[in-house]
Amino acid sequence: MKILGIDIGRGLATCCLLDHFPENPRQYALDGAQYRQFTADPKGIKEILAYGADIAVLEPTGTNYSKLWGTHLARNGVEVRLVAHHSLKKHREFLRFPDKDDEFDSFALAHYGWTHLHDPQWFLQMRDQTIVKLREKVLRLAHLNRVQSPIINRLKQDLEWQFPEIANKDLLARRSKSVPRWIRWIAGEYKSSAFDRKYAKTCGLGLTDDARSHARRLVRIIEEEIQIEIETEKFKQDERFKPYLVVFDVFGMGDRLQSVILTQIFPITGFLDENGDRIVIYKRGRYSKKQTKREISRRRFEKCLGVAPSREASGKKDNRQIVGGSDISRSMLWLWVFTRVSIAKQRDSNAVAQLIYLWMNAPKRQGIPIRLLRTKTAAHATRLLFKALVGYVQRGEYVDLVHYHANELGNCSLCGGPLTDGECSHCESIRARLLSSWKAAENALK
């Protein structure tokens, strides 16, 4: 068995090959291991394949650096395993390496591969190829979104004195797969007598070449976004994704958020045990000293989407903060709460959004700063999403997310309304709408 540790940088790959498990790894790394460095060119690829390794272990260094080496190795029959950055850091500390450099990192990767050779759970899950391609599109859209923001801000500031009548318009609002007309008109790529008449009456000083240049730049970016969105929709037509898309539709999530979440959590079985059931353990509580239920599967799901806090407890110190997970999914879930749940017009058209809003505005959450409250609400929505995905994707069930009981005042614990024969009319109406949403979303994708 030959295991090749590869530390990847920009245009370089530092390698260490281990054909046995060294008894004294630290000494072997310093004196016995052989290290080589290869460049990202045909010669370097040929030489790294000449090692004849059975397994290659590397870090997922972005989607650009590691993709080249990993793809060529996999195409030539080498099993590629990925190690999380924090796992490698701890393993390097375990080996007591004096310095952090590329050579020691490559040895640590190879040694990690030998240490956990027969235990796949110590390695990151290899994504499905369709998911990999979809993820590339998601990251490209996120990049374009960042690129256009400063251009939009500059254009809006210029319009304040050049054409103030439209400076406060939402110039980028898209209702279809086409570039908004106002941006195209400013760029000189769209003719409209109505826009011309409005411009003739402006009190502004007139559009400059710089403003039109900014608009043309935005047109090109939006055209690229539209093309990527079309390609993304083609990837999502995969039959395996249909049950996931049904659940996303029930939650009223937009196309981009659906794609982001799908690339992070597919397949849902990756969070479950070998029987397809949720992993649950019972452990004595730190403060209550009673048996408490720990939803391991659900917590991994939340961690993957970037909404689960990490705990660091020592003595009387107990800190919790959100660390790790997907930054894109965390921010987009927060925005989804802000636009879909917090706004009444958007919320009223979706049963799940209404249900989440009731949780968000419960009396015990009054006084929480609004930004923090939205973060907590995004985490709560993620828990509901996990429950819905496991129920529908695994068992084909319409999952009932509405749960309430009588509180200490005898009212509904969810909405605070009165109970009649143990039932809340408001919550029951949400339950009925939720059932209709399940059926409508399922029929829409058939």
Side-chain angles (χ1 to χ4, degrees):
M1 175 66 69
K2 297 180 179 179
I3 297 181
L4 183 64
I6 309 176
D7 184 70
I8 298 171
R10 178 177 293 181
L12 291 173
T14 304
C15 299
C16 177
L17 183 70
L18 290 182
D19 56 7
H20 66 285
F21 187 77
E23 294 182 4
N24 188 339
R26 186 171 184 272
Q27 192 63 38
Y28 189 82
L30 292 170
D31 299 331
Q34 298 295 318
Y35 303 98
R36 289 187 64 188
Q37 203 169 67
F38 304 100
T39 54
D41 53 33
K43 181 183 177 182
I45 298 295
K46 185 177 180 179
E47 289 177 343
I48 203 171
L49 292 175
Y51 268 123
D54 300 295
I55 298 175
V57 183
L58 53 147
E59 291 179 279
T61 314
T63 59
N64 301 308
Y65 299 157
S66 61
K67 182 177 180 178
L68 173 70
W69 303 98
T71 302
H72 278 290
L73 287 164
R75 284 176 179 174
N76 286 271
V78 181
E79 181 184 350
V80 178
R81 296 188 179 184
L82 302 178
V83 179
H85 302 297
H86 62 87
S87 299
L88 180 63
K89 180 181 178 181
K90 291 178 180 178
H91 193 72
R92 192 170 53 245
E93 292 172 353
F94 164 73
L95 294 174
R96 296 183 297 114
F97 282 163
D99 302 303
K100 183 197 180 307
D101 60 22
D102 294 344
E103 292 184 347
F104 283 147
D105 279 352
S106 65
F107 178 88
L109 285 163
H111 188 269
Y112 187 97
W114 271 106
T115 305
H116 306 293
L117 177 61
H118 302 294
D119 200 349
Q121 69 177 359
W122 286 88
F123 299 91
L124 295 177
Q125 183 182 9
M126 293 295 290
R127 287 188 173 96
D128 178 87
Q129 282 303 306
T130 305
I131 287 294
V132 171
K133 293 177 182 177
L134 181 59
R135 184 168 180 265
E136 290 175 359
K137 302 301 180 184
V138 166
L139 294 176
R140 183 64 63 180
L141 285 173
H143 165 72
L144 292 176
N145 190 57
R146 291 192 298 269
V147 167
Q148 65 180 279
S149 292
I151 303 175
I152 295 168
N153 293 338
R154 180 69 264 169
L155 179 59
K156 281 185 170 290
Q157 291 172 23
D158 287 344
L159 289 175
E160 289 289 348
W161 59 272
Q162 296 177 17
F163 195 176
E165 290 82 359
I166 66 168
N168 294 322
K169 279 183 173 290
D170 189 359
L171 301 176
L172 296 179
R174 282 201 284 132
R175 295 181 176 83
S176 62
K177 302 289 186 185
S178 61
V179 181
R181 292 181 298 171
W182 268 114
I183 290 294
R184 289 169 57 204
W185 180 85
I186 296 172
E189 299 179 8
Y190 177 76
K191 294 182 178 180
S192 170
S193 56
F195 293 174
D196 291 340
R197 287 194 297 270
K198 190 165 187 175
Y199 181 55
K201 299 177 182 178
T202 183
C203 65
L205 304 182
L207 295 171
T208 63
D209 291 341
D210 285 342
R212 296 189 184 278
S213 178
H214 288 320
R216 284 193 293 272
R217 208 170 290 131
L218 285 173
V219 169
R220 301 289 87 78
I221 292 174
I222 296 171
E223 287 176 343
E224 186 177 351
E225 281 186 326
I226 292 171
Q227 182 59 39
I228 294 174
E229 288 170 357
I230 293 172
E231 294 172 2
T232 298
E233 290 303 314
K234 291 179 181 178
F235 286 127
K236 289 164 64 177
Q237 290 175 5
D238 192 312
E239 287 292 327
R240 298 171 300 167
F241 301 155
K242 282 192 175 181
Y244 295 84
L245 299 181
V246 168
V247 177
F248 296 151
D249 283 345
V250 169
F251 275 67
M253 292 178 171
D255 291 339
R256 290 198 184 186
L257 180 56
Q258 290 184 15
S259 299
V260 168
I261 295 178
L262 192 59
T263 59
Q264 295 297 322
I265 58 94
F266 181 86
I268 194 67
T269 52
F271 301 95
L272 310 176
D273 63 17
E274 59 274 8
N275 299 319
D277 297 323
R278 292 182 296 176
I279 302 172
V280 180
I281 63 172
Y282 291 87
K283 187 177 179 181
R284 188 183 183 191
R286 177 177 173 85
Y287 299 109
S288 66
K289 308 302 180 185
K290 299 178 181 178
Q291 285 288 94
T292 58
K293 184 178 180 181
R294 304 292 177 90
E295 291 271 5
I296 303 301
S297 293
R298 192 193 70 193
R299 182 172 175 79
R300 288 176 182 168
F301 182 85
E302 294 176 61
K303 191 78 172 177
C304 185
L305 294 180
V307 297
S310 294
R311 181 182 180 188
E312 185 178 339
S314 177
K316 295 182 179 180
K317 179 182 176 182
D318 193 358
N319 292 333
R320 295 172 186 264
Q321 59 180 337
I322 294 178
V323 179
S326 170
D327 291 334
I328 296 177
S329 61
R330 183 191 303 117
S331 61
M332 291 195 69
L333 282 167
W334 192 94
L335 288 172
W336 177 75
V337 171
F338 180 63
T339 57
R340 186 63 161 173
V341 178
S342 299
I343 299 175
K345 183 178 179 181
Q346 298 292 330
R347 177 177 68 244
D348 292 344
S349 61
N350 184 266
V352 175
Q354 289 181 314
L355 189 62
I356 294 171
Y357 183 76
L358 292 177
W359 182 92
M360 183 180 181
N361 283 270
K364 65 180 181 180
R365 294 180 188 89
Q366 301 301 316
I368 299 177
I370 186 60
R371 292 182 65 87
L372 176 60
L373 180 58
R374 288 183 184 132
T375 300
K376 290 178 176 290
T377 305
H380 175 70
T382 304
R383 291 190 283 273
L384 294 181
L385 179 63
F386 177 72
K387 182 178 180 180
L389 284 169
V390 172
Y392 187 77
V393 176
Q394 286 295 98
R395 296 185 287 274
E397 300 174 352
Y398 294 161
V399 181
D400 182 13
L401 303 174
V402 182
H403 301 288
Y404 62 88
H405 57 271
N407 59 21
E408 60 275 7
L409 299 177
N411 296 325
C412 174
S413 60
L414 190 57
C415 70
L419 297 178
T420 304
D421 297 329
E423 291 189 353
C424 172
S425 58
H426 180 58
C427 292
E428 289 301 323
S429 68
I430 294 178
R431 175 177 279 135
R433 289 190 61 195
L434 179 60
L435 179 60
S436 299
S437 298
W438 277 112
K439 293 178 179 178
E442 190 176 59
N443 292 332
L445 288 173
K446 281 185 177 178

